[in-house]
Amino acid sequence: NLVQQLPRAIIIGVRKGGTRALLEMLNLHPAVVKASQEIHFFDNDQNYARGIDWYRGKMPFSFPHQITIEKSPAYFITEEVPERIFKMNSSIKLLIIVREPTTRAVSDYTQVLEGKERKNKTYHKFEKLAIDANTCEVNTKYKAVRTSIYTKHLERWLKYFPVEQFHIVDGDRLITDPLPELQLVERFLNLPSRISQYNLYFNATRGFYCLRFNIVFNKCLAGSKGRIHPEVDPSVVTKLQKFFHPFNQKFYQITGRTFNWP
Ligand SMILES: Nc1ncnc2c1ncn2[C@@H]1O[C@H](COP(=O)(O)OS(=O)(=O)O)[C@@H](OP(=O)(O)O)[C@H]1O
């Protein structure tokens, strides 16, 4: 009686928030199965046109009592996605993992930079992209900046889903102390608490927590997770932090979850 089930929860973002770590860690729970790949069903028009049965066909086999989770961080920032997910399941649970917005922007930049370097291409410095040369203000057209304005994106989602259907995960704490964050998600998903300290061990070489499923099987995330960020001009960091501040306040207010971001 193994079946392919549509997800009952989706990690909709945020890109570089720790979406992979969150999915893999939730998969430690015996009642959670994960779609291994990012499916990009709701953000990619071509995939969306293939229909819901195509989407279901991408899901892993599971027992009826288990819940399927997928993660595609592009969902959070893509215009059409909230309506499309609503049409599939208006009571679906939505997980958003966030990090301090400036750190997230630099992480996003670092990923793109690495892609350019792999192709032997040069790329602008972060400072050049993040600050408008004419006005010396934050460049709100730069995607890595826009993605970090969490409240703007969330407000689009709230046209379809009530705030209770979202759970915000602290991506910075998932790095340093994952268990409490995972326990909050278990509760949000109405799952019994099953993930324990045994399942998570700090790997000093890796500099991150890794996963222990059982006595024989353990794993760390891929090397592409946890890149070294370039150093950013402190005045640019401050400018960005000041820029994000009011948006962060709004985000805390809407979600009821406060972070001590600058
Ligand atoms: N346990 C563990 N191991 C490795 N990495 C971890 C872990 N927990 C969280 N993270 C952080 O996850 C960041 C990548 O986020 P995402 O998986 O959302 O990136 S992506 O959008 O899917 O590309 C990645 O960001 P960077 O450090 O900036 O590379 C990690 O810091």
Side-chain angles (χ1 to χ4, degrees), residues 17-18 35 47 58 81 100 125 134 146-147 170 175 244 249 256:
N47 286 341
K58 292 283 170 192
V81 173
E100 189 280 309
K125 297 201 80 170
N134 295 316
R146 296 171 74 97
T147 301
D170 182 343
I175 296 174
F244 288 124
Q249 297 302 312

Side-chain angles (χ1 to χ4, degrees), residues 64-98:
H65 76 276
Q66 293 181 308
I67 69 167
T68 302
I69 305 187
E70 79 128 325
K71 78 107 174 167
S72 295
Y75 290 167
F76 185 59
I77 59 162
T78 307
E79 201 73 35
E80 300 82 2
V81 173
E83 183 181 5
R84 289 174 176 178
I85 294 185
F86 184 84
K87 281 183 179 158
M88 174 184 74
N89 178 358
S90 62
S91 60
I92 196 157
K93 301 200 175 185
L94 301 164
L95 295 163
I96 308 174
I97 179 163
V98 292

